[in-house]
Amino acid sequence: MSGGPADEMFTVVDVGGTTLRVGDYDPATGAVHRVRRVPVDGMHRDPGAPVAVLQRRVGTAVRGSQVVAYCHNPYVDIDRVRLHIECARWWDIDTDSAPADAWPAMTVRLTGRCWKEVRSVWISHQKAR
């Protein structure tokens, strides 16, 4: 790849209520390749909520080595969230963000990066005391 905008390949991440999906998006063709699915434990906090509701609570985007996540807290309790990034290269250090408190009806932004490619991204939740 020459690195020009038309040659860029993006890693896309979808965090749902039951599954984390990661794939490679080619803007030249509009196709997503190498989609991988991993179960997540998002349903345990609110087992009665429809999947569509859970999917709206966390959104992540990966562009190259940069990761941005937006976490919305619809609960009355404070939700302590952290962004976890696993890097693709063996020598690239995986990272965990500092905890961020999402107060009720609040959305927090978490960011992180790898030096090179991102392998996977997930958000952990903890009830703040």
Side-chain angles (χ1 to χ4, degrees), residues 46-112:
D46 194 355
V51 171
V53 170
L54 295 169
Q55 288 174 330
R56 287 192 298 266
R57 294 186 187 157
V58 177
T60 61
V62 177
R63 182 171 180 164
S65 63
Q66 304 286 326
V67 178
V68 178
Y70 294 92
C71 303
H72 178 72
N73 180 14
Y75 300 104
V76 296
D77 295 323
I78 299 169
D79 189 15
R80 184 163 290 146
V81 293
R82 294 181 74 179
L83 173 65
H84 306 277
I85 303 170
E86 181 182 4
C87 301
R89 308 283 178 122
W90 67 267
W91 48 262
D92 207 344
I93 300 171
D94 299 342
T95 60
D96 302 308
S97 74
D101 288 345
W103 289 74
M106 180 179 165
T107 300
V108 296
R109 181 178 188 264
L110 304 170
T111 61

Side-chain angles (χ1 to χ4, degrees), residues 10 18 22 40 78 90 96-97 115:
F10 300 96
T18 60
V22 180
V40 296
I78 299 169
W90 67 267
D96 302 308
S97 74
W115 285 105

